[in-house]
Amino acid sequence: LGFGGMAAILRLTGPDPQPTTAGPTDPEVAAAAAPGLAEVEALLDAQDPRGPERLDSYLIAHPDDPDAWRLQGEVLTERRGDLAAGVQAFKKSLELGPTLKAYVGLGVSLTKLGRMTEAQEPLDQAVRLDPQSGYALTAQAFLLHEQGMFEGALAAIERAIDLEPERAGSHDLKGRVLQALGDVPGAEAAYRRSLALEPSAPTYTNLAAVLCKAERFDEARRATAQAVELEPQSPRTHDAAGMVEYYAGRFEQAIVHFDDALALDPTEVPTLINRGFTHKRLGHAAAARADLEAVLAHAPEGDPARDTARKGLQGLGVAAAR
């Protein structure tokens, strides 16, 4: 049971999935209509929903542009949530022309997929291309964090911040590393520095988690309120608001936030876990069972959430859960 939305710190093109449509199928038509890549990148940076569609059109007209394939990888991973397709786009970009951003994108995507051994080489290549890049070093620190090598991650992220002190994502990751090492005040300071540089919903939810550790629940509520304001359509921000209430012992209020999250995405596994165990705490056996069985229906094989759900169901006397 925990904050389910504290995952990606390397924000590439944005945190929210956006709908996209395919561009023109005739390359000559596409070439006539396609915008320049600088225009496409500006739309993506501005979180304009037209950006992914314009990128599709550009790629049809310019299929050998490595920067366009790198951007496509970022869109696939950060907006569409399709890490496997993003990996292929980053690889295509690197085949056409190796760049630091494509190496970082590939390494981070593989890390998120749990393919740590494969992730090492592209991240090493990124650092070799530019040993003074705080972006590349932050990506290496992210891999170390995900491998549980927190001391190494801290050394890497501090080096990254020395090189590029204004990168918000680096301070966010430093907060996560310090949190894992049990340094709650240090983690809070790092999250607040990140937010001063660039307010983001994931960092606000990370801050809320450490404030809950310190039992500063009113401040944690304010942090999750900021997260919800920034990303009202993200189930993870509502889930974080629910977890604040759970840790504060306000279980009925937690259920309200979990309901809001699941109204946005009924298959959000971390929230199903959180709501299921909250129902269990309240003695709502039937509702708890429904949520935990939904976890088994939606979580892929090998996901640790399945074992958590099975244990919860066994505690409810449901011995035959699969």
Side-chain angles (χ1 to χ4, degrees), residues 35-222:
L37 190 59
E39 177 189 340
V40 171
E41 191 158 12
L43 290 171
L44 293 172
D45 286 344
Q47 302 296 306
D48 190 311
R50 296 171 297 171
E53 183 177 352
R54 298 285 180 87
L55 179 58
D56 289 339
S57 298
Y58 182 89
L59 271 170
I60 291 167
H62 306 279
D64 295 326
D65 187 329
D67 286 332
W69 280 106
R70 186 259 305 166
L71 285 172
Q72 183 76 321
E74 294 175 0
V75 167
L76 287 165
T77 56
E78 298 300 317
R79 297 191 177 207
R80 301 182 193 177
D82 191 341
L83 290 168
V87 164
Q88 296 309 311
F90 287 127
K91 287 182 175 179
K92 177 69 174 177
S93 174
L94 291 166
E95 288 172 5
L96 293 167
T99 63
L100 183 146
K101 284 188 176 181
Y103 277 126
V104 167
L106 177 58
V108 169
S109 299
L110 290 168
T111 301
K112 291 178 182 178
L113 285 167
R115 292 157 61 179
M116 309 296 185
T117 303
E118 291 178 71
Q120 188 68 61
E121 177 58 25
L123 295 179
D124 286 348
Q125 288 281 14
V127 173
R128 281 195 285 270
L129 276 178
D130 184 358
Q132 302 302 307
S133 168
Y135 185 57
L137 286 167
T138 298
Q140 277 201 331
F142 177 55
L143 173 60
L144 291 166
H145 174 273
E146 295 302 292
Q147 291 173 317
M149 302 170 66
F150 302 124
E151 295 290 352
L154 183 59
I157 200 62
E158 287 183 337
R159 171 67 173 151
I161 290 170
D162 285 344
L163 291 167
E164 296 180 24
E166 303 303 305
R167 183 177 293 281
S170 299
H171 292 278
D172 181 272
L173 179 56
K174 182 178 179 179
R176 292 180 60 199
V177 172
L178 290 170
Q179 190 174 344
L181 289 168
D183 183 354
V184 172
E188 179 185 350
Y191 291 141
R192 291 194 184 279
R193 177 58 180 154
S194 177
L195 290 167
L197 291 167
E198 180 187 341
S200 79
T203 304
Y204 273 118
T205 61
N206 290 347
L207 175 61
V210 297
L211 291 170
C212 283
K213 285 275 189 184
E215 298 186 355
R216 292 156 58 190
F217 298 116
D218 286 342
E219 293 176 72
R221 289 186 187 99
R222 288 194 289 272

Side-chain angles (χ1 to χ4, degrees), residues 7 12-13 27 32 41 67 133 149 170 191 221 242-243 246 251 256 274 280 285 290 301 318:
L12 297 175
T13 58
E41 191 158 12
D67 286 332
S133 168
M149 302 170 66
S170 299
Y191 291 141
R221 289 186 187 99
M243 286 312 304
Y246 179 91
F251 303 124
V256 172
N274 291 341
K280 188 178 177 184
E301 290 296 333
V318 184

